[in-house]
Amino acid sequence: MTFSAQVKTELCRDGLGKKCCALAEAYGVLLYANSFTASQVRVMTANDAFAARLPKLFRRAFGLEFDQVPPPEKGGKRSFCITNPEKLAAVFSAIGYDAGRAVSHHINLPVVENDCDRVAFLRGAFLAGGSVTDPRRSYHLEMSTSHASVCREVRALLLDMDFAPGDGRRGSHYLTYFKRSEVIEDLLTTMGAPVCAMEIMQATVEKHMANAMNRITNCDLANTDKMVTANAGQMAAIRSIEAGPGIASLPTALQETALLRIANPECSLADLAQLADPPVTKSCISHRMRKLTELAQRLAEPPQEE
């Protein structure tokens, strides 16, 4: 089951509630349905839970049955239709539309006047025309309708509820969308899918942890590369001195440091500092290494002509 299907299934677990809420939810379904005209209402879905909820929702909201329903055993995408003129008139009347005129695709505000009705309306809109990506891949929730005015008015409704969606267009459809994980979490919780909202939260935490581990790993690798390069340079300097005047020619402290590096070519300066007898500070070992490197550089310089 896709994450989007999980969300819709969880949304359908809530009861239909008061008649006003059922009406608002059904209204959201209609405005985001495949077809909502003066001659036909057609809602299509591949979600089992939504397919089971639809007949009960329309019965509760409008007191009527669909004229066409898919057989119970049918899977995949299913179609629910109303074509009976009397039933269509009842639907139009319930949401404040004039049955004798073409359907005006605007939100009739009295139907979504209460807070509970607004939530129910958004739930219906998402069930009919919404989708959300798997949070382990990306964050994107959208609702798609073929009516530009509905898209505009839903955006205004969401803004009034303290949500700030984006809007756009894909082909002949108008989109209302969100791309921030925390906003999607809040919206799903508001609509009635808190479990799926928690999944998004968990996925976000896991991503942050993975990113932090990657940063630490990358930093460690970079530091290791720097240390390996520095160690190789120090070893080359000491070998140059060894091939020239010899390590025995060095002051005691530099002799000890050179021998420590030869015996421990992979150790960091901090580790070498602890291996010294007696132990010294890292800055002390670093200073000695610079002295050895400078001496090797001087030995490598060609003799100046007299």
Side-chain angles (χ1 to χ4, degrees):
M1 183 185 293
T2 65
F3 184 71
S4 196
Q6 283 180 246
V7 171
K8 292 185 179 184
T9 299
E10 185 178 359
L11 290 176
C12 288
R13 289 184 186 137
D14 280 350
L16 297 176
K18 298 179 293 185
K19 185 175 176 62
C20 66
C21 294
L23 178 62
E25 182 176 329
Y27 192 23
V29 170
L30 289 169
L31 291 179
Y32 282 78
N34 297 83
S35 177
F36 179 30
T37 69
S39 59
Q40 176 185 244
V41 165
R42 180 163 54 90
V43 184
M44 297 186 69
T45 181
N47 185 271
D48 294 339
F50 185 37
R53 185 180 182 86
L54 261 176
K56 293 181 286 187
L57 176 64
F58 272 57
R59 196 178 304 125
R60 173 73 169 150
F62 306 117
L64 53 80
E65 306 288 339
F66 283 98
D67 295 326
Q68 176 188 327
V69 295
E73 68 277 5
K74 179 175 173 58
K77 188 161 282 191
R78 283 149 283 188
S79 178
F80 296 78
C81 287
I82 299 174
T83 54
N84 182 289
E86 292 181 1
K87 292 181 180 180
L88 290 171
V91 169
F92 296 163
S93 176
I95 58 177
Y97 286 173
D98 184 349
R101 302 173 60 185
V103 175
S104 175
H105 294 296
H106 290 274
I107 297 177
N108 187 10
L109 293 179
V111 180
V112 293
E113 185 175 7
N114 301 319
D115 290 342
C116 61
D117 297 334
R118 293 182 177 191
V119 170
F121 175 86
L122 291 175
R123 180 168 57 245
F126 183 83
L127 287 170
S131 64
V132 57
T133 58
D134 188 329
R136 290 181 292 272
R137 292 187 287 119
S138 62
Y139 305 119
H140 183 87
L141 180 149
E142 71 177 40
M143 292 182 288
S144 172
T145 177
S146 57
H147 315 300
S149 55
V150 171
C151 181
R152 273 195 315 271
E153 291 162 8
V154 166
R155 185 173 187 276
L157 182 68
L158 285 162
L159 287 170
D160 195 49
M161 295 171 69
D162 294 326
F163 293 102
D167 55 44
R169 186 171 179 176
R170 185 185 300 124
S172 61
H173 282 73
Y174 299 86
L175 309 178
T176 304
Y177 64 85
F178 298 92
K179 286 186 174 293
R180 290 175 53 196
S181 61
E182 63 273 20
V183 179
I184 296 173
E185 291 163 18
D186 290 344
L187 182 60
L188 291 185
T189 300
T190 298
M191 291 193 301
V195 175
C196 289
M198 285 296 296
E199 283 195 40
I200 296 177
M201 192 179 300
Q202 182 178 349
T204 302
V205 170
E206 290 173 356
K207 282 183 182 180
H208 287 166
M209 290 180 63
N211 290 338
M213 289 302 297
N214 285 338
R215 285 194 295 271
I216 291 170
T217 300
N218 291 338
C219 184
D220 287 346
L221 289 173
N223 289 337
T224 299
D225 288 344
K226 289 179 182 178
M227 186 181 73
V228 169
T229 301
N231 290 359
Q234 294 159 11
M235 284 294 294
I238 292 167
R239 293 302 184 193
S240 176
I241 295 169
E242 189 177 31
I247 292 176
S249 67
L250 298 171
T252 303
L254 295 185
Q255 283 188 44
E256 179 187 37
T257 300
L259 292 172
L260 275 174
R261 171 52 78 205
I262 291 172
N264 304 277
E266 297 179 357
C267 281
S268 66
L269 292 179
D271 291 337
L272 287 183
Q274 293 302 307
L275 292 172
D277 186 20
V280 296
T281 63
K282 178 183 174 183
S283 61
C284 178
I285 285 289
S286 179
H287 176 73
R288 292 178 185 178
M289 284 296 181
R290 281 198 300 272
K291 290 289 187 183
L292 290 169
T293 301
E294 289 170 0
L295 177 57
Q297 288 172 348
R298 286 199 298 271
L299 291 172
E301 293 174 356
Q304 294 184 357
E305 296 180 0
E306 296 183 1

